[in-house]
Amino acid sequence: MKTVTAIIGGTGLTELEGPELIRQHDMTTDLGKPSGLIHEGLWMGHPVLFLSRHGHPHALPPHKVNYRANLLALQQLGATRIIAVNAVGGIRDDMVSGRIAVPDQIIDYTWGRESTFFDGDFLPLEYIDLTHPYDETLRQTILQAARMAGIELSVDGVYGATQGPRLETIAEITRMERDGCDLVGMTGMPEAALARELNIPYASICLVVNPAAGKSAALITMDDVRAVIGMGMGRVRDLIATCLQQS
Ligand code: HPA
């Protein structure tokens, strides 16, 4: 089967430079419209789909993203694996600003989001296994690509998915740390679970864009976040390009 890699870009990756555009899809699924146009292209000869999770320009807050429509649309366009890009706050000591991490676990603190296809309306109830929320083969592909490209990263991590759009309090981060979270972001769920429901291998490349609340003496400013994104997204893009060469 031909590999079609879908890339879901997060904050700081609303456009993807590199692929030659073949066409743009303005889709409406049975569960509504995805966040924006889906770009179909070829990147060094490899078929790719690109969707900006927050729309383009960046406008949709994390709790208003139609994750189900995004996943369904990518499935309908033939995605055989999904690489998600997430901007996150760093909790664990090695998760400093600018660090790339490939998480291996998730704790979900989100609420009120449409978080399943098996809701009894769209599809009959079914329980999916989410023991390992990220696809291990795809995670290893990313780690191998990082070695090939000489990109240093954290090879694991627990992603704590918060509701947002506000950032956390120190007490919330302290609790998340006690729970075992290494990273904090707002968009990791329900995306990962929905991909599993559709049986599409899914993994995330996280870019740490700020120390989580209380992890640095300074307050978190969007200027600082933008500066880290400016310096770090190029490496994320190079990492994805190297992953494609292994497909
Ligand atoms: N918290 C939650 N989500 C985030 C953060 C954060 O500190 N940084 C980027 N996304």
Side-chain angles (χ1 to χ4, degrees):
M1 189 172 66
K2 183 177 66 161
T3 300
V4 179
T5 306
I7 299 141
I8 302 180
T11 302
L13 195 70
T14 51
E15 280 178 278
L16 184 63
E17 276 170 38
E20 285 162 52
L21 185 67
I22 296 175
R23 61 182 75 84
Q24 302 188 71
H25 299 269
D26 182 5
M27 298 177 72
T28 303
T29 74
D30 290 344
L31 292 169
K33 282 187 88 64
S35 299
L37 298 177
I38 299 178
H39 295 218
E40 177 186 346
L42 275 180
W43 199 359
M44 296 163 299
H46 301 282
V48 292
L49 300 165
F50 177 76
L51 171 62
S52 167
R53 187 186 289 115
H54 298 283
H56 181 66
H58 188 289
L60 279 173
H63 63 291
K64 290 202 174 152
V65 170
N66 188 340
Y67 296 92
R68 298 198 302 174
N70 286 354
L71 274 284
L72 212 48
L74 292 175
Q75 184 193 46
Q76 283 167 9
L77 292 175
T80 60
R81 62 181 188 177
I82 297 175
I83 298 177
V85 178
N86 302 87
V88 295
I91 300 178
R92 198 169 76 194
D93 285 350
D94 59 318
M95 302 299 187
V96 295
S97 290
R99 184 80 176 170
I100 293 176
V102 183
D104 61 339
Q105 278 296 328
I106 300 178
I107 300 179
D108 188 7
Y109 300 91
T110 66
W111 49 270
R113 301 183 181 188
E114 295 287 359
S115 56
T116 180
F117 295 110
F118 300 121
D119 61 357
D121 290 325
F122 183 67
L123 287 174
L125 176 64
E126 214 177 288
Y127 299 100
I128 53 145
D129 179 272
L130 202 62
T131 308
H132 302 287
Y134 299 105
D135 182 78
E136 193 52 28
T137 305
L138 184 50
R139 258 179 35 80
Q140 291 303 330
T141 300
I142 297 169
L143 299 182
Q144 173 66 15
R147 284 189 287 271
M148 285 168 58
I151 295 171
E152 230 197 282
L153 44 64
S154 299
V155 299
D156 62 7
V158 178
Y159 180 111
T162 56
Q163 179 71 358
R166 66 168 178 83
L167 300 173
E168 297 70 37
T169 65
I170 292 180
E172 285 169 337
I173 293 298
T174 306
R175 182 184 76 157
M176 291 179 75
E177 192 168 21
R178 267 199 314 271
D179 286 353
C181 294
D182 302 310
L183 304 159
V184 53
M186 301 175 193
T187 51
M189 285 293 272
E191 205 172 84
L194 291 167
R196 180 62 51 79
E197 287 189 352
L198 295 182
N199 229 347
I200 306 175
Y202 174 99
S204 160
I205 299 175
C206 291
L207 176 67
V208 179
V209 296
N210 59 274
K215 289 287 162 191
S216 113
L219 297 182
I220 301 163
T221 71
M222 285 308 117
D223 281 348
D224 291 346
V225 165
R226 271 190 286 273
V228 179
I229 287 173
M231 286 184 298
M233 267 316 160
R235 265 179 299 131
V236 171
R237 187 183 156 280
D238 291 348
L239 184 53
I240 297 171
T242 313
C243 286
L244 294 178
Q245 287 161 22
Q246 298 182 69
S247 59

